[in-house]
Structures are given as C-alpha cells and as structure tokens.
Amino acid sequence: MTYAFGLDTFGDRESGADGTPLSHAQTIRNVVEEGVFAEQAGVDFFGIVEHHTDYFPMPAGDVALAAIAARTGKIRLGSAVTVLSSDDPVRVFQRYSTLDAISGGRAEVILGRGSSIESFPLFGYDLADYEELFDEKATLFAELLKGGPVTWEGKTRAALLNQDVVPHLESGPFPAWIGVGGNPQSVIRAARLGFSLALAIIGGPPSRFAAYSELFRRALEKFGQPPRPVLVHSPGHVAATDEQAKAEFWPRWQNVIALVAEERGFAIPTEASFDRETGPDGALYVGSPETVANKIAANVRALGATRFDLKYGLPGLTHDQLMTNVELYGREVIPRVRELLA
C-alpha cells in the first residue's frame, strides 16, 4: 500500500512574536515560504483552502500555489478546498490546469460545497440554491476533466456547445476530489461523478467516518467506477512536546471557533472538550511528533485511507511556530507513520 501525507492551510492570519497580527500580504508571503519549505521537509502535498475573511485572508490560493510551484520540483500542490458552488467550473478548471502546466503535472483540486459560506454573498449566490449549485457545477467539472470539447447544459451557468477549454492537460486529468464533512449524498455524488473522496473530520471520533469510506467503495462499484482513494483532512499542530503543542494551539483554537460558532453551529470549546479532541479518540492531531504519528497511523488504518492531510496553523500563531510544525511533520511525523503502517 502506498500512502501520502500532506499539509493544508486556510492562510490563517499570522502574528508577530509580540502577538500583533501581521498584514494579509505578509501572511500570504509566509504561506508561500511554508509551502516551499514543506517540500524540503519531505511533505508529499501542500494544499490551500479558499476563504474570504480577515482571519483567513486566502481568496486566491491558486496564485500562491503557482508561486510555490515555481520554486519547487516535487511536492504536489492543490486546493483543499475550492468552493465550487460560488465559482465557475470552467474558470476553476483553467486555473488548476494552468497550475498543472507551471508545476509540470503536480496539480490537484478538492471541490467543496462551502461549509464556510462567506463566498455566497460576496459573489451574489443564493444559499437557497446551495445543493443545486454544487451538483450542477461538479457535474460540469467532471466533464471538463475528461478533456476534449465539452457540451453541457444546466440552470446555474450558460450552456457549452462543443466548447474547447484551454489550457489542455499534458498528461491526462489531474487528481480531483470532493470534500465531505458528513453528508452521505456527497459521498454518493463523488462516486457517481468519478471523483476521489476527501473526508474533512474536524470534531468527534474519526472512527464514525468509517461508514462513509465503506459507502464510497460500495457506490463506486454500483456506478461501475474503478476503485478510488480516500483522503482524511483534520486540524492539528506539532511541537517538540505534547505540552508545548497544546499550549500554543489551545487559546487560538478556542478563539477561532468562537469567531465561526454562530455561522457554523459549533459549540465553544472548553478545556475539557479540547482534551477529548486531542486524545486518542478525538479529531485534533495536537502533540509531539510521536503522539501525532501514532494517531495518524491508527485513523488511516481505521478509515481505509491512503492519504492524510494535516490542516496546520491558526490565526495568532507565528511564522516560526508554523515553520517548526512543517519541519517536525515532514521530518519526524511522516517517517514514523510510514514505519507504523509498513
């Protein structure tokens, strides 16, 4: 079995050593440096999640990924997630096929409905159309990946008639995933359209998502699709010791969940709930390299996954802390997980 291990970021707004928030521009420049360093540290994939807020100022991750691509030669690069519902599938395809060209075939894309919905009012989309927007646009994106002229008709954008979409892909379709946070219909849609499955697990026991991996495998068989991989994406933070990692992560985790709690329906975390989530049965991978590696290996096995992406960073952490996270994850966590899974 071949496994891959990635890092994902929301472009979380970083702070200086004195706690003062850095500018959006400096945060973006730091993310580029972190992505370049991820390759040097031995990470397989670096992903950027689309967001449009003051504390996650990363609305054009593909541009930052292109900057990383120009300074690297091996690491795979992609969105993790692009909110397809409030974007145009043709433009998303063109941006990532351009990234694929710049990087020499290292691009990937994870498509999502938008669990964070700030892009809907920003671009003039109605949340009442939430399901229809994603279903139609994902269907069109699947057609675009096949290559060749595209003919498509739907309600959410203008029809295409034998339309050539450039740039053409040099080496066939790049990997494309649908991100799922707990909706069985999204799992079935991924299988029906021929996408791989990315499980976003941000709270509670990861083991409960084993049913989604099994549903995906059964749905692929039903739709006559070949086997496709399952990816797990979860938040975490790696430092030299468990105590240091928790001390750095906990206050920022509490703050950011409080910021999004009303919109997302989250409960404000307590220290007790944080201890549960960072424990063996929780969704947060916070601790020393050994602690994080043991937890990743256990859940990759339990979920039948072949890739794990650690969502690193939180608003308020420093660039130095994040670079240490990248280094420890790449040079200590990943090799240990590979040993445990061998």
Side-chain angles (χ1 to χ4, degrees), residues 69-70 72-73 75 77 98-107:
T72 55
I75 192 168
L77 303 164
T98 300
L99 176 64
D100 203 54
I102 293 168
S103 65
R106 291 183 282 137

Side-chain angles (χ1 to χ4, degrees), residues 101-112:
I102 293 168
S103 65
R106 291 183 282 137
E108 301 191 14
V109 64
I110 300 176
L111 307 172

Side-chain angles (χ1 to χ4, degrees), residues 25-37:
Q26 187 59 55
T27 293
I28 291 168
R29 289 191 290 269
N30 286 354
V31 166
V32 171
E33 295 301 321
E34 290 153 19
V36 172
F37 183 56

Side-chain angles (χ1 to χ4, degrees), residues 103-326:
S103 65
R106 291 183 282 137
E108 301 191 14
V109 64
I110 300 176
L111 307 172
R113 296 185 301 166
S115 57
S116 294
I117 56 174
E118 69 266 7
S119 62
F120 282 76
L122 185 63
F123 298 118
Y125 287 93
D126 191 336
L127 282 170
D129 301 325
Y130 187 81
E131 289 292 341
E132 183 178 42
L133 282 165
F134 188 72
D135 191 64
E136 280 204 358
K137 291 182 177 187
T139 301
L140 173 53
F141 199 88
E143 291 299 313
L144 292 162
L145 280 174
K146 295 176 183 177
V150 176
T151 296
W152 177 90
E153 185 175 0
K155 299 178 182 177
T156 56
R157 59 148 289 146
L160 299 173
L161 179 60
N162 203 35
Q163 180 68 53
D164 184 32
V165 180
V166 299
H168 298 162
L169 296 168
E170 281 185 316
S171 304
F174 48 74
W177 314 67
I178 283 186
V180 175
N183 185 325
Q185 293 305 313
S186 292
V187 175
I188 294 169
R189 179 189 290 117
R192 173 172 54 85
L193 296 177
F195 293 102
S196 299
L197 180 66
L199 297 172
I201 306 175
I202 61 174
S207 59
R208 76 189 195 281
F209 279 78
Y212 294 100
S213 297
E214 181 59 29
L215 174 61
F216 183 58
R217 283 189 284 272
R218 294 200 312 268
L220 287 170
E221 292 177 1
K222 175 184 175 182
F223 293 116
Q225 296 279 3
R228 297 188 184 279
V230 174
L231 172 163
V232 175
H233 155 111
S234 288
H237 182 65
V238 190
T241 66
D242 290 351
E243 294 74 20
Q244 181 183 350
K246 290 179 180 180
E248 291 175 355
F249 192 85
W250 158 241
R252 281 87 183 184
W253 177 252
Q254 184 182 45
N255 289 344
V256 78
I257 297 300
L259 281 172
V260 302
E262 184 174 353
E263 175 189 299
R264 303 287 297 276
F266 292 164
I268 305 297
T270 63
E271 290 195 54
S273 69
F274 180 68
D275 286 340
R276 287 195 298 273
E277 292 291 0
T278 56
D281 299 321
L284 299 180
Y285 296 73
V286 179
S288 68
E290 186 71 13
T291 295
V292 172
N294 288 337
K295 190 167 181 176
I296 291 172
N299 284 317
V300 164
R301 281 199 200 97
L303 297 173
T306 56
R307 186 166 117 198
F308 180 88
D309 287 359
L310 181 76
K311 189 277 157 186
Y312 80 102
L314 283 173
L317 289 171
T318 69
H319 183 52
D320 286 346
Q321 288 170 328
L322 298 185
M323 291 290 271
T324 297
N325 179 104
V326 172

